[in-house]
Amino acid sequence: MPDGGARRQGIALTDRQRIAWLRLIRSDNVGPATFRDLINHFGSAETALSVLPELSSRGGASRAIRIASVGDAERELETARRLGARFIGIGEADYPPALRQIDGAPPLLAVKGHPPVAIQPSVGIVGSRNASISGAKFAAMIARDLGRAGYAVTSGLARGIDTAAHRAALDGGTIAVLAGGLDQPYPPENISLLDEITDGHGLAVSEMPFGWEPRARDFPRRNRLIAGISLGVVVVEAAQRSGSLITARMAGDFGRLVFAVPGSPLDPRCHGTNSLLKDGAIVTTCSDDVLEALAPLSRIEAPSGAVIEEPGGDDGGRAFLPPDDSERAMIVSALGPTPVDVDDIIRHTGSEASAVYLVLLELDLAGRLHRHAGGLVSLAMTD
Amino acid sequence: MPDGGARRQGIALTDRQRIAWLRLIRSDNVGPATFRDLINHFGSAETALSVLPELSSRGGASRAIRIASVGDAERELETARRLGARFIGIGEADYPPALRQIDGAPPLLAVKGHPPVAIQPSVGIVGSRNASISGAKFAAMIARDLGRAGYAVTSGLARGIDTAAHRAALDGGTIAVLAGGLDQPYPPENISLLDEITDGHGLAVSEMPFGWEPRARDFPRRNRLIAGISLGVVVVEAAQRSGSLITARMAGDFGRLVFAVPGSPLDPRCHGTNSLLKDGAIVTTCSDDVLEALAPLSRIEAPSGAVIEEPGGDDGGRAFLPPDDSERAMIVSALGPTPVDVDDIIRHTGSEASAVYLVLLELDLAGRLHRHAGGLVSLAMTD
């Protein structure tokens, strides 16, 4: 039995902080990485919000940055309340512990259902939407056994393998990660399954705003959450170039275990899983293959430092000396369309790290910065 | 295209030597390892035959050792000739080069068909007798592609995967290794396939005497030849505890590549192959997986020294001083039912290596020695 977690410690956001966090993450050009840098630089979401217009304009934005209003945030919180959902901030006790550790973890998660599932050690089970009967059966078997062993099963509520895994994990605990808002589940035929999940030992999770209809590009973003929440991901059946392989690749990038179920080379639904095996995924033919590999990992350690440093109250922002115009111009000119490491920019320009990060934030908020894997950045070439 | 081998050099047995070799290997208590030790110790099969009765009696045999007569050997050679078969000695140019390198390689192989196939680089393809349609199809695809790439396909003429592999390799070259004598093919329904093999670009091979009906224990022995002839073995479908897994294990022991085709964990015919994958076999979903892994190995080097040193003529035996009775007793008493390394016996007793080997040969010929993997030996406990 893995360590389901003695009640975890964490920060607790005040209502006022939660509104500020929600406003900040819902504002234009603010993704999880920008959010983190803003809080780390300005000490709180509220201070960050107050400087956003100036930062964005200094970064060269062609028009005023759209900032979510207090009213917008209160309306979203009210929608959540009405639907029985709420928001968990990164660093709070209920935030999925493994997810906290990935780059670009969502600062706020909308959740609905049985909150303790979020801090259970979890395994992702994903696969083809057009699963074979035996694939669905296998997914269900693994999900049931993982549940009995104390793991929650995380998946994407899709047809096929996802559905089989969620359904078999209803008793043991399951997390459905949605690509759209919590009130926009997809596909429609799984709405009743989602209700069973949230009414029972399960949780629905989304980083997207209520009302957000999922588009194609939201699914890979969602898959990163499945991989991030999970200690390992089991891919049961997957075609080449499928979303399940994206989830597996992200799991590998996060240092999570990747399990793949072998299948006939003559069945296209197994081409992706067999490729994963060639790339070193763990050959998985029974639940013990998963349980044995996970055993040493199930006591996941909370990171020593908080990922986002917002203290209990607002400390009024850090002291910082903003760079002057010539320094700013030098930092911008060090950037180009080729992704570079931020440390290289600091070394190359000789500027203070805090000055470089601030200029990058300004460019980011002006929509002029691209962030790449491994912390690299490049200048967006607009025309 | 692998190196099919410029015509290889080798020893050429005289008719008289071939008869002596056949007599020696067909005599009681003489297996491949004993044969090798006898030739290496006494310089020729003829000399070895002359000392067999004395050695066996000194080893403590309860009755006279049965030695195949010149008449026996001439009759077997005549049977072979009548059936269009002949015997190849280890070290002769036509002997399969990879097989030469294994421990316990047969000193003489009976072969029938197209001899150049024996020295083609070869890949084993084995699997379930009750193969699935897709398994048989896959075996045929791999066999055909290997043939096009210049490899011969070695298998065991069994139903299912073996049959599919041989049939698809009729053009490219195929070797059927029989568990019984060349005139005792099994199963009966594959006799016509065997005829197609030996009439075309194929070869039937056996180490067993003509007339020998295969028994259960002859199949694992035969599987060692499939593994020994092959640079790698592809296992297409295999249940747990199946002969195909024995072939794969032996291939691994010989340092050959082991390929396994993934399959559904819910199909018992894939349990063995999936286990092989867990143990590190190469995930095989197309012929390129096999061809790419084999490419660096296809130019197999002939071993620098001959495995069995029988010079062109008989050198009259090596000078050797047989141990006296007290030394013999000391060597025998160093042995017990627990397998030990011959080097340890030499160190323990302080005897000359040649004396120890001679005493071991005597015990062996008296039926009192067991030989184990890795060159270990133990005393047979008879009562």
Side-chain angles (χ1 to χ4, degrees):
Chain A
M1 178 75 82
D3 177 16
R7 193 77 188 161
R8 287 168 196 280
Q9 300 295 316
I11 63 168
L13 296 178
T14 63
D15 287 350
R16 183 171 160 171
Q17 280 178 318
R18 202 176 309 270
I19 284 177
W21 277 41
L22 190 54
R23 286 181 64 201
L24 188 56
I25 192 64
R26 296 293 187 243
S27 294
D28 271 2
N29 297 337
V30 179
T34 313
F35 184 98
R36 181 200 59 211
D37 287 356
L38 283 167
I39 300 266
N40 288 343
H41 202 92
F42 295 101
S44 75
E46 223 171 281
T47 310
L49 284 163
S50 71
V51 296
L52 273 195
E54 187 192 340
L55 294 173
S56 167
S57 137
R58 269 209 250 114
S62 49
R63 53 195 168 80
I65 187 169
R66 196 199 58 79
I67 296 175
S69 68
V70 173
D72 292 338
E74 283 178 341
R75 267 187 298 279
E76 191 171 355
L77 285 170
E78 175 50 31
T79 304
R81 246 189 310 273
R82 209 174 54 241
L83 292 166
R86 61 191 183 81
F87 288 93
I88 307 175
I90 192 169
E92 289 197 296
D94 283 349
Y95 194 93
L99 181 60
R100 244 182 108 163
Q101 304 183 327
I102 71 166
D103 260 4
L108 280 175
L109 278 181
V111 302
K112 179 181 175 184
H114 184 62
V117 176
I119 55 171
Q120 242 178 287
S122 177
V123 177
I125 300 183
V126 298
S128 300
R129 288 187 297 276
N130 67 335
S132 71
I133 293 170
S134 72
K137 198 169 144 189
F138 190 87
M141 183 191 79
I142 299 275
R144 206 159 25 236
D145 291 350
L146 285 170
R148 286 193 189 121
Y151 292 93
V153 169
T154 299
S155 194
L157 201 71
R159 296 181 190 96
I161 298 298
D162 289 21
T163 298
H166 281 306
R167 200 169 282 290
L170 283 171
D171 286 341
T174 188
I175 300 178
V177 188
L178 306 191
L182 271 196
D183 54 350
Q184 301 287 330
Y186 180 88
E189 67 261 42
N190 274 348
I191 291 175
S192 67
L193 172 60
L194 186 63
D195 288 341
E196 284 185 74
I197 290 171
T198 55
D199 291 348
H201 277 90
L203 202 65
V205 165
S206 172
E207 65 176 322
M208 301 306 282
F210 282 85
W212 186 277
E213 278 186 52
R215 301 151 309 168
R217 63 188 237 199
D218 294 322
F219 289 90
R221 185 211 307 258
R222 184 274 312 270
N223 293 347
R224 130 189 162 275
L225 296 194
I226 296 176
I229 289 170
S230 308
L231 302 179
V233 169
V234 184
V235 187
V236 178
E237 282 180 338
Q240 288 292 22
R241 284 178 296 280
S242 61
S244 305
L245 293 196
I246 295 177
T247 311
R249 184 173 51 73
M250 288 170 165
D253 288 348
F254 299 156
R256 310 296 158 83
L257 296 177
V258 178
F259 301 89
V261 179
S264 167
L266 301 178
D267 184 343
R269 283 175 295 213
C270 305
H271 289 180
T273 39
N274 288 339
S275 289
L276 289 173
L277 293 177
K278 290 184 186 178
D279 292 343
I282 297 167
V283 181
T284 304
T285 62
C286 60
S287 355
D288 279 347
D289 292 331
V290 181
L291 292 171
E292 281 166 21
L294 284 172
L297 308 179
S298 60
R299 294 176 168 269
I300 193 158
E301 295 294 324
S304 48
V307 176
I308 292 189
E309 303 162 14
E310 176 147 12
D314 187 348
D315 72 352
R318 308 290 170 78
F320 84 98
L321 291 169
D324 63 19
D325 284 353
S326 78
E327 188 174 8
R328 178 169 281 115
M330 181 178 68
I331 294 168
V332 173
S333 71
L335 283 160
T338 307
V340 290
D341 194 293
V342 176
D343 286 343
D344 286 339
I345 303 171
I346 296 167
R347 258 193 302 276
H348 178 76
T349 59
S351 295
E352 287 292 315
S354 63
V356 170
Y357 277 106
L358 182 68
V359 173
L360 293 178
L361 267 176
E362 292 168 359
L363 292 168
D364 197 359
L365 291 168
R368 292 179 58 202
L369 193 79
H370 284 321
R371 291 176 182 271
H372 306 266
L376 304 187
V377 293
S378 69
L379 213 52
M381 297 282 109
T382 42
D383 39 280
Chain B
M1 181 71 82
D3 176 17
R7 193 74 187 163
R8 287 168 195 279
Q9 300 295 315
I11 62 168
L13 296 178
T14 62
D15 288 349
R16 182 171 161 173
Q17 281 177 318
R18 202 176 308 271
I19 285 176
W21 278 41
L22 190 55
R23 288 181 62 201
L24 188 56
I25 192 65
R26 296 291 188 244
S27 294
D28 271 1
N29 298 337
V30 179
T34 313
F35 184 99
R36 180 200 59 211
D37 288 356
L38 284 167
I39 300 266
N40 287 343
H41 202 91
F42 295 101
S44 75
E46 223 171 281
T47 310
L49 284 164
S50 71
V51 296
L52 273 194
E54 187 193 342
L55 294 173
S56 167
S57 136
R58 270 210 249 113
S62 49
R63 54 195 168 80
I65 188 167
R66 196 199 57 80
I67 297 175
S69 68
V70 173
D72 293 337
E74 282 176 341
R75 268 187 298 279
E76 192 172 352
L77 285 169
E78 175 50 32
T79 304
R81 245 190 310 272
R82 209 176 52 242
L83 291 166
R86 61 191 184 83
F87 289 92
I88 307 176
I90 193 168
E92 289 196 295
D94 283 348
Y95 194 92
L99 181 61
R100 241 182 110 162
Q101 303 183 330
I102 72 166
D103 260 3
L108 280 176
L109 279 180
V111 303
K112 178 181 178 185
H114 184 62
V117 176
I119 55 170
Q120 242 178 288
S122 176
V123 176
I125 300 182
V126 298
S128 299
R129 289 187 297 275
N130 67 334
S132 70
I133 292 169
S134 72
K137 198 170 142 187
F138 190 87
M141 182 191 80
I142 298 275
R144 204 158 27 236
D145 291 351
L146 285 170
R148 286 193 189 121
Y151 291 94
V153 169
T154 299
S155 194
L157 200 72
R159 299 182 189 94
I161 298 297
D162 289 21
T163 298
H166 281 306
R167 200 169 283 290
L170 283 171
D171 286 342
T174 188
I175 300 178
V177 188
L178 306 191
L182 271 196
D183 54 350
Q184 301 287 327
Y186 180 87
E189 67 261 41
N190 274 348
I191 291 176
S192 68
L193 172 59
L194 186 63
D195 288 341
E196 285 185 73
I197 290 171
T198 55
D199 290 348
H201 277 90
L203 202 65
V205 165
S206 172
E207 65 175 322
M208 301 306 283
F210 282 84
W212 186 277
E213 279 186 52
R215 301 150 311 166
R217 63 187 238 199
D218 294 321
F219 290 90
R221 184 209 308 258
R222 184 274 314 269
N223 293 348
R224 133 189 158 274
L225 296 194
I226 296 176
I229 289 171
S230 307
L231 302 180
V233 169
V234 183
V235 187
V236 178
E237 281 179 339
Q240 288 292 22
R241 285 178 295 280
S242 60
S244 304
L245 293 196
I246 296 177
T247 311
R249 184 173 52 73
M250 289 169 163
D253 289 347
F254 299 156
R256 310 296 158 84
L257 296 178
V258 178
F259 301 88
V261 179
S264 167
L266 301 179
D267 184 344
R269 283 175 294 214
C270 305
H271 289 180
T273 40
N274 288 340
S275 288
L276 290 173
L277 293 178
K278 289 183 185 177
D279 292 343
I282 297 167
V283 181
T284 304
T285 62
C286 59
S287 356
D288 279 347
D289 292 330
V290 181
L291 292 171
E292 280 165 22
L294 285 172
L297 308 179
S298 59
R299 294 177 168 269
I300 194 158
E301 296 292 325
S304 49
V307 176
I308 292 189
E309 303 162 14
E310 175 146 14
D314 186 348
D315 72 353
R318 306 290 169 80
F320 83 99
L321 291 169
D324 63 21
D325 284 351
S326 79
E327 189 174 7
R328 179 169 280 115
M330 182 179 66
I331 293 169
V332 173
S333 72
L335 283 162
T338 307
V340 290
D341 194 295
V342 176
D343 285 343
D344 286 339
I345 303 171
I346 295 166
R347 257 193 302 275
H348 179 77
T349 58
S351 294
E352 287 290 319
S354 63
V356 171
Y357 278 106
L358 181 67
V359 173
L360 293 178
L361 267 176
E362 292 168 359
L363 292 168
D364 197 359
L365 292 168
R368 292 180 59 204
L369 194 79
H370 284 320
R371 293 177 182 268
H372 306 267
L376 304 188
V377 292
S378 69
L379 212 53
M381 297 284 109
T382 42
D383 40 279

